[in-house]
Amino acid sequence: MSVTAAGDGPWLDDAAGRLVRPYTVSNGRTRPTTALDLMSQVMATGATPLGYLGPDHAQALDLCREPISVAEVSAQLKLPAAVTKVLLSDLVDCGALTTKPPEFYHKPTDRSLLEAVLDGLRRQL
């Protein structure tokens, strides 16, 4: 069993995974202060965040040097999306991140798109 120290990054155990519970990472908060979609793009502003940032905040900020989706940040941090959204909204609130809503080329209720998907599924059967 190999466990990394607190200063070395997230507490991980090779067999058990993350040893710090997600609600601890987000200080028990379950809702972000900024509306973020999984497909929203986030990017570091270069501004120094005000106040204390935990190690997970710092890791998230490091991942956001280039535009990246919230879902990708969540996957890279190995945290649930809800926790990642809270971390990222903290960074947005302190001016360290900017967000861009996802760009959809088709409305999810676009009839022609839904018919094309249905047609493709029927061909697979």
Side-chain angles (χ1 to χ4, degrees), residues 24-110:
T24 304
V25 173
S26 64
N27 292 324
R29 293 172 293 143
T30 58
R31 292 206 167 99
T33 56
T34 304
L36 294 169
D37 186 89
L38 286 177
M39 299 298 291
S40 295
Q41 296 287 306
V42 290
M43 184 173 172
T45 62
T48 303
L50 302 173
Y52 171 75
L53 289 180
D56 292 294
H57 285 93
Q59 279 186 307
L61 187 57
D62 187 50
L63 289 170
C64 298
R65 284 178 274 142
E66 304 220 352
I68 187 171
S69 71
V70 172
E72 185 63 26
V73 173
S74 180
Q76 293 289 329
L77 292 178
K78 297 182 175 134
L79 284 172
V83 174
T84 302
K85 287 179 181 182
V86 170
L87 292 176
L88 294 175
S89 72
D90 290 346
L91 292 168
V92 169
D93 292 345
C94 72
L97 283 183
T98 60
T99 65
K100 181 180 175 190
E103 295 177 9
F104 292 107
Y105 297 107
H106 296 284
K107 291 186 280 182
T109 57
D110 182 5

